[in-house]
Amino acid sequence: MAAGKRTIGIGMDYSPSSKAAARWAVDNLAKAGDRIILVHVLPKGADASHKELWKSTGSPLIPLPEFMEMNVQARYGLNPDKEVLEILQAASKAKQVEVLAKIYWGDAREKLCEAVDDLKADSFVLGCRGLGPLKRALLGSVSNYVVNNATCPVTVC
């Protein structure tokens, strides 16, 4: 890890827990010179014109000012939460961090772990849906999978 420039990944689906993860990362991890990357994973069936081109590598990195444009969000089939984008925009200015977004398509568990490797993340933050033991056993836990398989430290909010 290079001093002064870390890569912090945030798993983002705009749920209350992923919003909490974004706030936590900005408040507790981000320092001047860091890079925050919002990682979105859309289901395999999600319709995106660029999906075929980037299905194995994910979209290109999208700078926050560009990502905030409605036509860019629509192009990728996303409907970002304005509050999250404002938190990240404020952090970008106040803490001098670079904020980017990246979209993957497929199984969230696998793609988030791939993102950690692809982006060379120094740490990764994601939310937890708070499933009970039975639902977790039946549906599987994305956060549990990422904690156990990612190649960097993971914080679950």
Side-chain angles (χ1 to χ4, degrees):
M1 172 167 57
K5 181 145 182 161
R6 301 174 301 163
T7 298
I8 301 166
I10 302 174
M12 184 54 60
D13 65 0
Y14 301 103
S15 65
S17 63
S18 70
K19 286 185 205 181
R23 274 190 224 98
W24 189 90
V26 165
D27 293 343
N28 297 290
L29 275 180
K31 295 181 177 164
D34 287 348
R35 183 166 76 152
I36 295 175
I37 302 176
L38 284 181
V39 178
H40 302 80
V41 180
L42 300 176
K44 283 184 182 176
D47 183 39
S49 58
H50 303 303
K51 181 179 167 187
E52 284 302 312
L53 182 60
W54 297 314
K55 71 179 176 183
S56 62
T57 62
S59 72
L61 289 171
I62 307 165
L64 183 62
E66 182 181 339
F67 186 69
M68 291 179 78
E69 296 174 13
M70 293 300 257
N71 63 336
V72 173
Q73 297 165 11
R75 183 181 317 147
Y76 290 102
L78 293 170
N79 188 17
D81 185 277
K82 192 174 184 178
E83 179 186 358
V84 171
L85 297 179
E86 288 171 356
I87 289 167
L88 294 168
Q89 188 174 36
S92 175
K93 291 177 183 173
K95 292 194 171 192
Q96 301 293 307
V97 296
E98 178 184 22
V99 181
L100 305 157
K102 187 162 177 85
I103 299 102
Y104 290 89
W105 291 269
D107 179 77
R109 294 172 292 202
E110 295 171 6
K111 291 300 182 178
L112 290 174
C113 288
E114 282 179 32
V116 166
D117 293 336
D118 292 346
L119 303 170
K120 296 176 180 37
D122 296 299
S123 61
F124 199 82
V125 183
L126 72 161
C128 176
R129 291 186 292 178
L131 297 177
L134 181 60
K135 283 187 178 177
R136 189 177 312 114
L138 293 173
L139 300 173
S141 167
V142 171
S143 56
N144 188 50
Y145 184 90
V146 175
V147 164
N148 288 303
N149 292 284
T151 57
C152 73
V154 176
T155 302
V156 179
C157 298

